[in-house]
Amino acid sequence: MPPLGAADNASLYSQSSAPSVGGKSIYPRGPGFSLDTFSSKDFIVKDFIESLSDGTTVPNRRSGGDAQAFDPKPYIRTFEHGLSRLDALSEERESHESELASAVRRAEAQHRQNCSTLQRKLDQTLESFNNLETRLDSSITTGGGGGNGYNHTGPSYSSALEIGERLEELDRQKRRAEDAKVLIRCWQDVSERGDLTYLEDVRRMGGGEGKVKCAQIARQLLKISNNIGSGSSLRHQQQQQANGSSGSKTPNGDGSPLEPRQQRGNMRTNEIIEKFLERLEKDLLEQFEDRRRQHNDTGMRECATALYDFSEGSSVIARYVNQHEFFLERSHMITEEVSEDNESWDRLADPDSEPPGIEPSLQSLVDEVKLILQEESFTIKQVFPFHEQVLVTFIQRVFQQSIQQRLELVLEKATSVSPIAFLRSLQSARTYIGSMVEDLKSHGLTEHPDPTSSQASACLDQQLEDLFVPYFAGSSYIECEKRSLEELYGSLLFKFTLYHSKRRKTPTTYLGTLGQKGRELLASARDNYIDHLDSSDLPQLQKTILLRVAGIKDADTKNKADIEVTEEDGKLSLPVAKRMLKWLAEAVGRGLELSGGSDTPKDVAALLRLLLVHLGEIYLDTALDAANETAEYLSNPKTEPDLAHIPDTQTCISILALLTSISHKVLLPLCASNLTITRETTKTLNTHLTRFEDKISTIRTRTIDSTLTWTSKLLQKQQRADFRPKDDTALTSGIESLQTPTCASIFTFLTRVHAVLQKESEGKNAEILFTELAVGFRSLLLEHLKKFQVNQAGGLMVSKDITKYCELLRGWPLAREVLPSLEVLVEVGNIFVIGPDALKERLRGGTALAGGGTGSSGNDKSGAGTAGGQGGGTGAAATWDRKELRPYIARREDVGTVGVQSALNSL
């Protein structure tokens, strides 16, 4: 073992001199580190020192491996080794730093040199530019032309223009020469070797622009080949004609003619070029699809531009439209079943309900089409240089494949429901799709925000028109409208016609026979209607609606005779007529919106004729005939007439007023564009109105006659003793009762008649009716007073009866010129009351009696009290002739006395 001092002074800078046991050092190796250790961001001095002293405890050989408390030698050797390593790294770092500093100095020197060179070149360029600008300015200003100092016609300027044009021409010639060179090279390849190697290389590596160039060259080659082939064929024909005339042939080596062999070569060349074009088109289409999936609008535009030269872009347009996600992902929306919402279809088929609008699935499709067209138009404009053509094709496909198919499904479903459901669905669809078209026009599509171009607008209008052409061909639309109205009118009037067909009346006249035939016709119409309801072809929902309109139950149709009707079912109803007119107005408005145009007059005339048949002939005519029969029966009544037919007459007048108003204000103006149809329709309408008015007039006349006839029968019940009471008891009783029993019964009857007529008539009609009745009653009363002898006490009864009658008549709405004529009755009553002297004085004084401003009715047999003649009237100024009072004076009981005779002699 060496001495301790030697061990202490031993060098520790080399690990190889350290003692070892069994090939291993008895001291731990020094830590290894480099410059990177100190350049790390995580370097900490304290941690570094601690790492140096890790594992430095050395086992004591004498103690069998037990560790001493502290041995400084391992630490000394470790730190010495660390210091030596740090010195080496410091030298290495200084060397590297010197090299970097030298490199920086060289780079700075090179940078300064480059900047100096660039500055010098920039100065030279600016100086050259300024010199050129100065020369141009000097050349332009030479010649002194123009007040502004410029002369663009100077020699230098002209030379500059000529040089520029010449350079452009040379550039064009150069490009043409290059294109010709490429074309000749490709032609030689395809005609001699049968391939297009150059074009194939350009197609594979040239990108979009290269493929466009390939397409142009290939089409030029194809054109050259076709021209050569046509020229060769022409020369061959000329050669054959020449050989045929000279009898000689021109063989081609093996005896075959030269021209046919050239033709076969040209055909092969054409096939090669055409196949290349097909491959090129296919590649471009695939590239277009790739760019589309990548949403690369620029790449798509390059491909579309190249493909436009292939049949004007039809292939790329078809690919773009056919592969659009709208047609691929939404195909199920087009063919899925139509909604089975029974409530909506019930509202659609109910003529009295407001239609629910467009069918939901069709509405959803139209809304989506609108959104797709607005969004896709932007893409189309970005991708296609010929965007108008693509947009038109896309619009056609959307309308013809999507909207049309869905529309057909919806209308087929509506047809299976009822005619009115079909018509309403057609109207709502036409309105909604038309609104979408107008929105697209205002949006502008590819021209957004400006309105659409004329071509796109025309396409939208045409597609909208084509959608609905099948439903308006010929007269199919108006026939559907008529069929719908006929079914609804037949249902609405079913109970009415059934009631009148059950009325039993044996015809006794020709008109009665015609009425019987009409009832038979109504019965036949009823049976046909029931058979139609029982038909298996009638949809269940339509049958339900028709039964609801008719007011009958499904079970009632099993037995026609069991259908119950009431008297109310046989009366005219203003709400029923309004419903009929409302349905007609809906049909007319729908026709104007859907069909319109030159067919409007004809369609409106057809609907008006249908209305006149159902509302006029079936409804009004039947009711008026029934009222006429009732009035005829009451013309010679055996009992007091009840006037039950009067309400129907007044309702008929109100319905006729509505019919006249809607015809003259709405329907006839719509026919004005066709004079022939207007004239015929007006004639038909006037014929019906005249017939209705004549029947109403007949009913009124018979009503007045029956009233006056019954009044006459009541007057005949007047007792002679009523106006010649023989004792004071009878006189007192008459005075206390204020009128005779006959007067009371007539007053009661006419009061009831007035109440009925006033309730069912108004205005001028009521005035005319009551005036005729009042004049007729006045004539009856005047004639009645000529039949009774009147004593002095009876004169008071006559006066009170007349006063009661006048009170009744003055409460009627009479014409003003008739009111003074009532005073005639008062004057006649006074004749029986005043004494002989007063009578003589009254007659001698020529007191005028207010005369009949209106003539009497036909019931006035004698013409008494009808100053001015029958049917006429001279107004309030008319007076009676005094001689006309003689018959009434002669009925005084004291007519034989000297005073009364003296009065008569004065007449």
Side-chain angles (χ1 to χ4, degrees):
M1 181 177 175
L4 182 60
D8 292 340
N9 297 326
S11 176
L12 300 178
Y13 290 96
S14 176
Q15 290 185 5
S16 59
S17 61
S20 61
V21 178
K24 295 183 179 179
S25 177
I26 62 175
Y27 300 108
R29 290 179 177 272
F33 49 85
S34 63
L35 288 176
D36 294 336
T37 302
F38 303 98
S39 63
S40 175
K41 295 181 180 180
D42 298 329
F43 176 77
I44 301 175
V45 176
K46 181 179 179 181
D47 294 341
F48 176 72
I49 298 299
E50 290 178 354
S51 66
L52 292 179
S53 60
D54 287 344
T56 56
T57 302
V58 181
N60 193 326
R61 291 175 299 200
R62 295 176 182 177
S63 60
D66 294 334
Q68 295 292 330
F70 177 74
D71 186 4
K73 293 179 181 180
Y75 292 98
I76 294 172
R77 290 177 177 80
T78 299
F79 290 134
E80 285 179 350
H81 178 74
L83 288 175
S84 64
R85 182 59 181 159
L86 287 175
D87 290 339
L89 290 178
S90 178
E91 293 176 359
E92 182 181 350
R93 180 187 60 78
E94 290 176 357
S95 175
H96 185 60
E97 183 178 355
S98 300
E99 292 176 0
L100 291 178
S102 300
V104 168
R105 286 193 296 270
R106 288 194 300 270
E108 289 177 349
Q110 183 65 36
H111 175 68
R112 286 192 297 271
Q113 183 179 358
N114 291 340
C115 289
S116 177
T117 303
L118 291 175
Q119 181 65 36
R120 186 168 58 254
K121 290 182 178 180
L122 178 61
D123 293 339
Q124 292 174 356
T125 302
L126 291 175
E127 184 179 359
S128 300
F129 178 78
N130 292 331
N131 292 336
L132 178 60
E133 186 177 15
T134 303
R135 290 173 59 190
L136 288 175
D137 291 341
S138 62
S139 63
I140 292 174
T141 55
T142 56
N148 56 1
Y150 291 93
N151 181 12
H152 294 287
T153 60
S156 300
Y157 184 73
S158 300
S159 299
L161 290 179
E162 291 177 1
I163 292 172
E165 293 174 356
R166 182 59 178 166
L167 288 175
E168 292 177 357
E169 180 65 25
L170 291 174
D171 183 62
R172 286 193 296 270
Q173 290 178 1
K174 178 185 178 183
R175 287 198 301 268
R176 283 198 300 268
E178 292 175 350
D179 294 340
K181 179 181 178 181
V182 174
L183 187 61
I184 293 171
R185 176 182 175 182
C186 294
W187 174 253
Q188 289 176 344
D189 292 343
V190 71
S191 60
E192 295 177 0
R193 295 191 298 271
D195 60 22
L196 290 170
T197 306
Y198 175 78
L199 291 183
E200 289 288 354
D201 295 339
V202 175
R203 180 177 67 87
R204 286 192 297 266
M205 298 180 296
E209 185 177 353
K211 291 181 180 180
V212 172
K213 185 177 181 180
C214 285
Q216 295 174 350
I217 295 174
R219 276 189 297 275
Q220 291 176 351
L221 292 175
L222 185 61
K223 185 176 181 181
I224 292 172
S225 179
N226 291 332
N227 291 337
I228 292 176
S230 60
S232 175
S233 177
L234 180 60
R235 288 194 301 271
H236 178 63
Q237 292 176 2
Q238 294 175 352
Q239 182 180 356
Q240 284 184 338
Q241 293 175 359
N243 292 339
S245 61
S246 62
S248 61
K249 296 183 178 180
T250 305
N252 186 19
D254 56 357
S256 61
L258 176 64
E259 297 300 334
R261 193 166 67 182
Q262 291 181 349
Q263 291 178 2
R264 288 193 296 270
N266 290 333
M267 292 175 61
R268 182 171 176 272
T269 302
N270 286 351
E271 292 177 0
I272 295 173
I273 298 173
E274 288 173 355
K275 289 181 179 179
F276 174 79
L277 288 173
E278 291 177 1
R279 291 196 304 271
L280 180 61
E281 183 178 11
K282 184 178 180 180
D283 290 347
L284 286 172
L285 289 174
E286 292 177 355
Q287 184 177 353
F288 180 83
E289 281 299 321
D290 293 339
R291 299 295 186 272
R292 184 176 185 175
R293 286 189 288 269
Q294 298 169 4
H295 302 286
N296 185 352
D297 292 348
T298 304
M300 293 171 64
R301 187 177 183 88
E302 291 178 356
C303 296
T305 304
L307 287 166
Y308 181 75
D309 293 331
F310 293 88
S311 62
E312 296 184 350
S314 59
S315 59
V316 68
I317 294 175
R319 177 66 67 89
Y320 179 80
V321 174
N322 294 337
Q323 299 300 320
H324 196 278
E325 62 179 5
F326 175 77
F327 302 107
L328 299 177
E329 299 177 1
R330 295 165 178 81
S331 58
H332 65 280
M333 293 180 56
I334 301 171
T335 57
E336 66 182 3
E337 292 297 327
V338 180
S339 171
E340 295 292 341
D341 185 4
N342 294 330
E343 182 180 356
S344 298
W345 289 111
D346 186 85
R347 288 176 56 197
L348 196 65
D350 188 354
D352 296 317
S353 298
E354 288 296 326
I358 187 172
E359 199 271 335
S361 63
L362 179 59
Q363 180 181 5
S364 175
L365 177 62
V366 172
D367 291 341
E368 189 162 6
V369 165
K370 176 182 174 181
L371 184 62
I372 286 294
L373 286 175
Q374 291 177 350
E375 293 177 349
E376 199 63 25
S377 59
F378 176 78
T379 304
I380 291 175
K381 187 173 184 180
Q382 295 295 321
V383 171
F384 295 95
F386 42 99
H387 56 82
E388 283 287 344
Q389 184 178 349
V390 181
L391 179 62
V392 168
T393 304
F394 193 79
I395 291 173
Q396 292 173 347
R397 178 71 178 277
V398 166
F399 272 82
Q400 296 172 8
Q401 178 173 321
S402 302
I403 297 180
Q404 183 173 357
Q405 292 182 12
R406 193 64 192 170
L407 177 64
E408 289 174 354
L409 290 176
V410 171
L411 293 182
E412 285 177 4
K413 172 65 177 178
T415 304
S416 67
V417 173
S418 70
I420 191 172
F422 166 78
L423 293 169
R424 285 179 166 181
S425 297
L426 184 66
Q427 180 186 15
S428 61
R430 175 65 173 78
T431 302
Y432 200 82
I433 298 175
S435 175
M436 179 200 69
V437 168
E438 294 302 322
D439 291 343
L440 291 177
K441 288 182 182 179
S442 60
H443 176 269
L445 297 179
T446 55
E447 306 300 324
H448 182 75
D450 297 329
T452 55
S453 63
S454 58
Q455 183 179 1
S457 297
C459 177
L460 288 170
D461 293 335
Q462 185 62 42
Q463 293 305 311
L464 177 63
E465 188 72 20
D466 292 344
L467 279 179
F468 298 94
V469 163
Y471 309 105
F472 300 103
S475 59
S476 58
Y477 169 75
I478 193 62
E479 290 300 326
C480 186
E481 287 282 9
K482 290 170 62 177
R483 185 168 64 255
S484 173
L485 287 176
E486 286 175 352
E487 290 181 352
L488 294 175
Y489 287 166
S491 298
L492 185 62
L493 302 181
F494 174 72
K495 281 193 172 182
F496 176 85
T497 56
L498 181 62
Y499 173 84
H500 285 279
S501 65
K502 289 183 176 181
R503 287 191 305 113
R504 299 180 178 273
K505 183 176 186 299
T506 302
T508 57
T509 62
Y510 174 71
L511 293 178
T513 304
L514 293 180
Q516 181 68 18
K517 292 182 178 179
R519 284 189 291 275
E520 293 174 356
L521 180 62
L522 290 178
S524 176
R526 175 202 63 190
D527 295 341
N528 293 336
Y529 178 76
I530 295 296
D531 294 339
H532 177 63
L533 290 180
D534 294 336
S535 173
S536 59
D537 297 334
L538 188 68
Q540 183 60 37
L541 182 56
Q542 182 181 0
K543 180 179 180 180
T544 303
I545 294 296
L546 293 180
L547 291 176
R548 185 190 307 167
V549 172
I552 58 179
K553 299 179 180 179
D554 192 9
D556 297 338
T557 62
K558 305 302 181 182
N559 191 346
K560 305 172 186 178
D562 293 342
I563 301 178
E564 296 183 0
V565 291
T566 62
E567 186 176 353
E568 289 297 323
D569 295 328
K571 293 182 179 181
L572 291 180
S573 172
L574 188 59
V576 169
K578 288 182 177 180
R579 288 177 72 184
M580 298 176 71
L581 293 175
K582 176 187 175 183
W583 297 341
L584 178 79
E586 179 183 342
V588 171
R590 183 166 47 240
L592 291 176
E593 181 178 348
L594 295 179
S595 60
S598 59
D599 291 337
T600 297
K602 181 175 64 176
D603 295 346
V604 172
L607 294 178
L608 179 57
R609 286 193 297 269
L610 180 67
L611 179 68
L612 291 176
V613 168
H614 288 83
L615 181 60
E617 297 176 5
I618 296 179
Y619 197 50
L620 296 182
D621 258 350
T622 302
L624 288 177
D625 289 341
N628 209 352
E629 291 174 4
T630 303
E632 182 182 6
Y633 173 76
L634 295 177
S635 60
N636 189 16
K638 296 180 181 180
T639 58
E640 181 178 331
D642 59 358
L643 303 180
H645 61 285
I646 294 299
D648 267 6
T649 305
Q650 181 57 33
T651 304
C652 181
I653 294 174
S654 301
I655 294 175
L656 285 179
L658 287 176
L659 177 60
T660 304
S661 176
I662 195 173
S663 298
H664 287 89
K665 293 181 179 180
V666 178
L667 301 181
L668 291 180
L670 294 175
C671 302
S673 59
N674 191 315
L675 296 179
T676 302
I677 293 179
T678 302
R679 184 166 53 250
E680 294 176 354
T681 305
T682 304
K683 182 179 178 181
T684 303
L685 176 64
N686 291 337
T687 300
H688 281 78
L689 293 178
T690 301
R691 186 173 74 251
F692 298 148
E693 291 171 355
D694 290 343
K695 289 186 177 183
I696 292 173
S697 179
T698 301
I699 293 171
R700 282 190 164 182
T701 300
R702 288 178 174 176
T703 300
I704 293 174
D705 290 346
S706 62
T707 302
L708 294 179
T709 299
W710 184 252
T711 303
S712 178
K713 288 186 177 183
L714 293 178
L715 288 174
Q716 291 174 7
K717 296 180 180 180
Q718 186 86 53
Q719 300 295 325
R720 294 186 179 275
D722 290 343
F723 299 143
R724 293 183 65 188
K726 295 181 178 180
D727 52 24
D728 295 340
T729 303
L731 177 60
T732 303
S733 176
I735 293 175
E736 289 177 354
S737 62
L738 299 180
Q739 68 270 335
T740 62
T742 300
C743 176
S745 62
I746 292 175
F747 184 88
T748 301
F749 170 66
L750 292 181
T751 300
R752 189 176 65 82
V753 169
H754 169 255
V756 173
L757 296 180
Q758 187 178 34
K759 182 179 179 181
E760 302 299 335
S761 58
E762 56 185 9
K764 194 66 177 178
N765 292 329
E767 181 180 302
I768 295 174
L769 179 63
F770 282 107
T771 297
E772 292 181 2
L773 188 59
V775 171
F777 175 65
R778 189 201 66 170
S779 299
L780 287 176
L781 190 58
L782 290 174
E783 188 67 20
H784 174 70
L785 293 176
K786 295 178 182 179
K787 300 176 182 179
F788 294 91
Q789 194 78 24
V790 183
N791 59 17
Q792 185 175 4
L796 295 175
M797 300 301 297
V798 170
S799 177
K800 287 188 176 292
D801 283 358
I802 290 178
T803 301
K804 193 69 173 177
Y805 293 142
C806 290
E807 177 186 347
L808 173 66
L809 296 179
R810 288 191 181 100
W812 293 359
L814 304 177
R816 287 181 297 178
E817 58 269 19
V818 176
L819 293 176
S821 66
L822 299 180
E823 298 300 327
V824 172
L825 297 175
V826 179
E827 294 296 335
V828 170
N830 290 336
I831 289 176
F832 295 104
V833 176
I834 60 179
D837 296 335
L839 178 62
K840 182 177 180 180
E841 185 64 27
R842 192 177 186 89
L843 295 177
R844 182 184 301 169
T847 302
L849 297 178
T854 301
S856 67
S857 70
N859 294 329
D860 189 359
K861 308 293 185 191
S862 66
T866 55
Q870 287 192 18
T874 58
T879 59
W880 266 24
D881 188 354
R882 289 181 301 170
K883 294 180 181 181
E884 294 180 357
L885 297 176
R886 181 182 293 275
Y888 303 102
I889 298 175
R891 304 310 297 173
R892 288 172 60 112
E893 189 179 39
D894 58 351
V895 67
T897 60
V898 176
V900 175
Q901 287 295 323
S902 175
L904 289 174
N905 291 333
S906 66
L907 295 176

